[in-house]
Amino acid sequence: MPLSHPPKSASPWPGPATRQAIADHAHFLKTLIGRPRLTGSVAPSGRYLARAMAHPVDPSRDGLVVELGPGTGPVTQALIERGVAPGRLALVEYDHGFCRLLGQRFAGARIIQGDAYDLPRTLAGLDGAPIAAVVSSLPLLNQPPARRVKLIEDAFALMGPQGLMVQFTYGIASPIPREACAQRFSAHCTAPIWRNLPPARVWTYRADRNGAFAEPLIARLIRGVAPRPPRANKP
């Protein structure tokens, strides 16, 4: 008579990764309901978007990498996988709950609870440490143009002309107004990242008086067909 084998215990479902993802989505939704202008997303950035945001950052460059609005940390993880050591990361997050979570997940990174739209004050504790790049997941389109322009100006004032700013958007055009970049910054964007929900683009800005502004064709077409103001009648 064959020996009977004890039934294998079924692995618990959902697994740890799934439970973490569910908890992250729940925290995002809670924060979105409480502060929609500051969150601007119903879920953390997907891994494809996170990797696209980390890609322009050169891990061999000296200086800190400042991440704005890291949330639950998907872009932070992508930066580490890109080769940026946790000790070089300064994570600026407004929400206390996200700050606590980031501290648990990314030992060695500097967690700074503060206002990302006031970088000179928020980053004052870095004591002038060099900054190589600013990577932002802030919902810029929720803010007026003047505040968006101040953000990039503050970022490059802290980084210097060799710095790099990365920003994602769900919109078609640059989240930093085109006119603010003229003769100051170059701007390039990726193709839509369709595997993110919703699809997004990643913009990269560099200090360059003669830099190109490479915007999507559809954005150029929209600007080209925008209604023009009526001409004044000649006397």
Side-chain angles (χ1 to χ4, degrees):
M1 184 175 181
L3 297 175
S4 61
H5 296 281
K8 294 182 179 180
S9 58
S11 57
W13 190 93
T18 303
R19 291 197 299 270
Q20 178 177 303
I22 293 172
D24 288 352
H25 279 70
H27 198 143
F28 252 83
L29 286 172
K30 180 180 177 181
T31 308
L32 176 65
I33 293 170
R35 289 189 294 268
R37 286 175 62 86
L38 295 179
T39 304
S41 176
V42 297
S45 299
R47 59 177 176 170
Y48 299 101
L49 174 56
R51 290 172 183 171
M53 293 183 69
H55 181 74
V57 178
D58 182 356
S60 66
R61 278 204 59 199
D62 292 333
L64 299 174
V65 175
V66 176
E67 186 183 352
L68 309 180
T72 59
V75 178
T76 312
Q77 183 61 44
L79 287 167
I80 293 173
E81 292 172 359
R82 175 79 172 135
V84 180
R88 292 181 53 206
L89 292 172
L91 312 180
V92 178
E93 176 56 56
Y94 188 84
D95 182 80
H96 174 73
F98 284 145
C99 286
R100 184 175 63 252
L101 185 150
L102 291 166
Q104 295 169 353
R105 292 184 179 176
F106 303 104
R110 308 184 195 198
I111 314 299
I112 303 171
Q113 184 176 7
D115 184 0
Y117 293 100
D118 190 4
L119 289 180
R121 176 180 296 182
T122 300
L123 299 181
L126 298 181
D127 297 324
I131 299 173
V134 171
V135 180
S136 170
S137 296
L138 300 175
L140 290 195
L141 297 184
N142 288 357
Q143 302 297 328
R147 205 174 193 201
R148 294 181 245 158
V149 173
K150 182 180 183 300
L151 177 68
I152 192 172
E153 290 175 343
D154 287 348
F156 277 94
L158 292 167
M159 290 189 292
Q162 301 305 314
L164 169 79
M165 182 171 176
V166 182
Q167 172 72 52
F168 91 89
T169 181
Y170 298 127
I172 296 173
S174 166
I176 303 296
R178 178 185 175 88
E179 56 272 17
C181 294
Q183 298 183 336
R184 302 177 69 189
F185 308 110
S186 67
H188 296 82
C189 73
T190 65
I193 300 168
W194 299 110
R195 290 187 173 185
N196 194 70
L197 187 64
R201 295 178 186 269
V202 174
W203 285 81
T204 303
Y205 302 90
R206 292 178 171 86
D208 187 349
R209 291 185 178 276
N210 300 312
F213 193 97
E215 61 184 345
L217 175 61
I218 188 170
R220 297 199 300 272
L221 292 174
I222 291 174
R223 286 195 298 104
V225 300
R228 298 179 179 178
R231 295 181 178 179
N233 295 326
K234 294 183 179 181

